[in-house]
Amino acid sequence: MDLVEVAETTDTLHVRSHVQYNTPDHITPTNVLRSPLEQFHVWFNEARIAGVKEPEAMSLSTATASGIPSSRMVLFKQLDKRGFVFYTNYTSRKSKELEENPNAALLFFWREMSRQVRIVGRVEKMSREENEAYFKGRPAGSQLGAWASKQSSVIGENDLAIRLKKFHERFGGTEDADVGDIPTPEFWGGWRVIPNEMEFWLGKPSRLHDRIRYHRLDGSASDEEPRWNIDRLSP
């Protein structure tokens, strides 16, 4: 593997080189699908089949009511007619920011294919029924972890182990336990990002990348059947 060339001193670091992208395919407003969700479905399957490591990993960016941003990597779990779903603790920093400011941005980067997908939209919570259906399918260890973790809060060195032991004893759960025996916490569940903008990016030489943007048209009657304008963006 080629190492990135850098120039550094005791207090500076400068990146001197970077790989040149050179994907063989092209995207244009005329050869993409009319729906960005359908286009994402195609690209995600191509990434999965191509062996991209963790194609479901995505950056989630949120912001406070005053506009202070934060980002973290989370796992994409579902695509439906409305948008993109991930699950988390509803008392976490990300959830608190989504409560204050119900807008988010997602970014998938599939390095092995020199592809990115960027999504911007409003958010909504998943229903209790949807949360329970997903939670029941998680491994017992992950279910217990959801109960034990006060996500994003400051904790002591042994606090998490103590809380995990407490919920092991409460529910009698182990890694091999019947996953149906552990209830879904009220403070845990999913968020759905409903896109109003999506961009598909293909890496090209000399930074002259292909960029196609879908923008949701005002007056779209339904979140499940929105209308989109499709443009090519300058790199």
Side-chain angles (χ1 to χ4, degrees):
M1 182 177 65
D2 294 334
L3 294 178
V4 173
E5 295 180 7
V6 300
E8 56 186 318
T9 65
T10 55
D11 56 0
T12 64
L13 178 66
H14 298 278
V15 178
R16 296 298 194 189
S17 65
H18 189 72
V19 65
Q20 284 289 330
Y21 300 110
N22 191 17
T23 51
D25 45 345
H26 290 274
I27 50 173
T28 72
T30 59
N31 71 7
V32 294
L33 298 174
R34 301 308 298 172
S35 164
L37 299 183
E38 293 177 5
Q39 184 65 43
F40 178 86
H41 196 154
V42 170
W43 269 29
F44 185 83
N45 275 334
E46 289 177 351
R48 181 176 57 84
I49 293 169
V52 171
K53 294 181 179 179
E54 280 196 301
E56 71 275 26
M58 61 184 185
S59 170
L60 165 67
S61 296
T62 58
T64 64
S66 59
I68 299 173
S70 61
S71 298
R72 75 288 290 160
M73 300 301 294
V74 299
L75 295 179
F76 159 64
K77 288 299 181 181
Q78 177 182 318
L79 176 68
D80 57 27
K81 290 183 177 181
R82 293 173 65 81
F84 297 79
V85 176
F86 66 93
Y87 290 87
T88 189
N89 188 308
Y90 283 148
T91 67
S92 64
R93 175 176 177 173
K94 68 179 83 67
S95 288
K96 290 178 180 178
E97 291 182 355
L98 291 173
E99 293 277 7
E100 293 180 20
N101 181 349
N103 298 281
L106 306 174
L107 179 66
F108 292 83
F109 177 50
W110 298 319
R111 181 182 183 278
E112 297 90 333
M113 302 179 75
S114 301
R115 289 182 176 184
Q116 295 185 57
V117 182
R118 182 177 61 84
I119 300 127
V120 179
R122 58 186 174 86
V123 301
E124 64 181 16
K125 280 185 174 178
M126 303 290 281
S127 69
R128 179 65 180 173
E129 293 75 21
E130 290 170 313
N131 290 341
E132 289 180 344
Y134 175 76
F135 191 81
K136 287 179 181 178
R138 303 183 90 203
S142 296
Q143 291 181 333
L144 289 168
W147 278 96
S149 174
K150 294 183 176 181
Q151 196 174 101
S152 302
S153 65
V154 176
I155 60 175
E157 183 66 27
N158 299 314
D159 288 358
L160 185 59
I162 292 170
R163 285 182 58 80
L164 188 60
K165 183 176 184 294
K166 168 187 171 182
F167 287 108
H168 266 285
E169 294 171 351
R170 175 175 171 180
F171 299 121
T174 67
E175 291 290 345
D176 301 319
D178 181 352
V179 294
D181 294 338
I182 303 174
T184 307
E186 292 286 345
F187 54 81
W188 186 96
W191 289 95
R192 179 186 286 110
V193 180
I194 302 171
N196 55 49
E197 178 185 350
M198 288 183 62
E199 179 184 334
F200 293 80
W201 178 100
L202 274 177
K204 294 294 178 182
S206 302
R207 306 297 182 261
L208 299 177
H209 312 303
D210 283 355
R211 298 177 62 192
I212 299 298
R213 181 188 63 187
Y214 293 76
H215 190 269
R216 180 171 171 156
L217 296 175
D218 293 338
S220 292
S222 167
D223 285 334
E224 295 186 3
E225 295 182 354
R227 296 179 296 116
W228 300 91
N229 190 60
I230 306 174
D231 296 305
R232 182 183 179 95
L233 300 181
S234 173

